[in-house]
Amino acid sequence: MEPWMWIVAVVVLLVLVPWATKGMRPKAPQPPQPTASIAPRALSPAESAEIDALVAGDRKIAAIKRLRELQSLGLQEAKDAIDAWDPGTTWTPAAAASASASASAPGDALTPAARAEIAALIAGDEKIRAIKRYREETGVGLKQAKDAVENW
């Protein structure tokens, strides 16, 4: 092979290999972009009436969706607000916060008899039955009940 061919081959390798592998290099992590959070506001009377009609018509899912559209709330926050919805009143961000706070402590709603039964099941190393009983009494999801029983 001619010497000029060797020079061309080396130059091609020195240029093309780094260029071709540029996409394979790990990229520096980008800082997370701040998300624009919209502060909840009180609903207008028309918006409250619309949600009142949905709740009264036993259309809670539609009411949750509508409240989320109006307030940019998370799913759990909107569900808690609709569960605590009092028809005829105007929704405020403070009402949603109190609804979320009351929903976050479902163990407080246990009767003393249910509390004693669950404690006995836990003491008897029957966590699965304790979780089932807790769910029956409070109506919470499986993960919430499991966490509550494990933190008993």
Side-chain angles (χ1 to χ4, degrees):
M1 202 149 96
E2 299 287 329
W4 66 270
M5 294 175 104
W6 282 105
I7 294 172
V8 170
V10 169
V11 170
V12 166
L13 285 175
L14 289 176
V15 172
L16 288 180
V17 170
W19 178 78
T21 60
K22 182 171 62 172
M24 292 189 254
R25 292 184 197 139
K27 294 184 171 96
Q30 298 293 326
Q33 297 295 325
T35 58
S37 62
I38 300 171
R41 58 172 176 77
L43 294 176
S44 71
E47 294 166 340
S48 289
E50 179 183 358
I51 293 177
D52 279 346
L54 292 171
V55 171
D58 202 26
R59 297 180 53 209
K60 282 189 171 185
I61 294 173
I64 291 168
K65 286 180 180 179
R66 184 64 180 139
L67 184 60
R68 288 186 73 200
E69 290 170 1
L70 294 170
Q71 294 296 320
S72 300
L73 295 176
L75 181 60
Q76 186 66 46
E77 295 169 318
K79 180 193 175 296
D80 293 342
I82 294 299
D83 286 343
W85 190 271
D86 188 16
T89 61
T90 303
W91 184 88
T92 61
S98 67
S100 293
S102 67
S104 65
D108 297 341
L110 289 173
T111 62
R115 188 178 290 278
E117 182 181 353
I118 292 170
L121 289 170
I122 293 169
D125 201 27
E126 297 183 54
K127 281 189 177 179
I128 294 174
R129 287 186 56 203
I131 291 168
K132 286 181 181 179
R133 185 71 177 118
Y134 188 88
R135 289 187 70 195
E136 289 171 1
E137 287 293 319
T138 60
V140 298
L142 180 60
K143 181 172 179 4
Q144 293 163 325
K146 180 181 176 282
D147 291 344
V149 167
E150 286 179 350
N151 294 327
W152 197 274

